[in-house]
Amino acid sequence: MQQVDHTTAPLLRDVLPGLSAELVRLLEEEGERDLAVCAHDLRLLADCGCGDDFCQSFRTEPHRPGTPYGPGHRNVALVPARGCLILDVVHGRIMFVEVLDRPELRPARAAAFAAALTGGGAPC
């Protein structure tokens, strides 16, 4: 798993605007207004690193893989029209977005990580 600098990582809304809007909408529908506001500014920090074709999950905040989040952690399972969206939230911060069965997201997500890692920034 490669990780980009948190301050220069591409914004989710720039790379995958449909997913960003969907997260905001679903969080609002679940009564998670504060998280919906945070979701608008999520950054694509690192992919999950599993390599599974069905997985398009990504980290939005720094966290050492394989270690527990600890106190203040909760999961927020959303109900999208298709696929699976589950957020790892710690003390009101979205740390990780689990995205399953949404293969159409893979090319844009991969391109954003590649551009960020080479200093090219987010693709337009």
Side-chain angles (χ1 to χ4, degrees):
M1 171 182 63
Q2 295 181 318
Q3 183 169 302
V4 297
D5 180 275
H6 187 260
T7 60
T8 60
L11 289 164
L12 178 63
R13 68 175 182 251
D14 292 339
V15 176
L16 297 166
L19 178 62
S20 178
E22 181 180 18
L23 282 173
V24 170
R25 180 181 56 79
L26 291 171
L27 285 163
E28 288 175 347
E29 288 175 4
E30 289 293 319
E32 297 279 0
R33 179 75 179 124
D34 290 342
L35 289 180
V37 170
C38 294
H40 181 70
D41 293 321
L42 289 178
R43 292 189 177 270
L44 291 165
L45 189 61
D47 69 4
C48 78
C50 74
D52 290 333
D53 287 340
F54 60 87
C55 180
Q56 293 79 44
S57 304
F58 55 92
R59 296 186 186 288
T60 60
E61 295 285 342
H63 179 76
R64 192 166 26 135
T67 61
Y69 287 109
H73 173 258
R74 67 186 177 112
N75 288 117
V76 177
L78 301 173
V79 185
R82 59 192 173 72
C84 179
L85 294 173
I86 302 172
L87 309 180
D88 282 305
V89 178
V90 179
H91 297 295
R93 279 190 112 137
I94 300 170
M95 304 290 289
F96 187 85
V97 180
E98 184 174 5
V99 183
L100 303 177
D101 298 321
R102 302 284 293 269
E104 73 279 4
L105 303 179
R106 184 173 292 281
R109 192 184 64 116
F113 284 129
L117 287 169
T118 60
C124 295

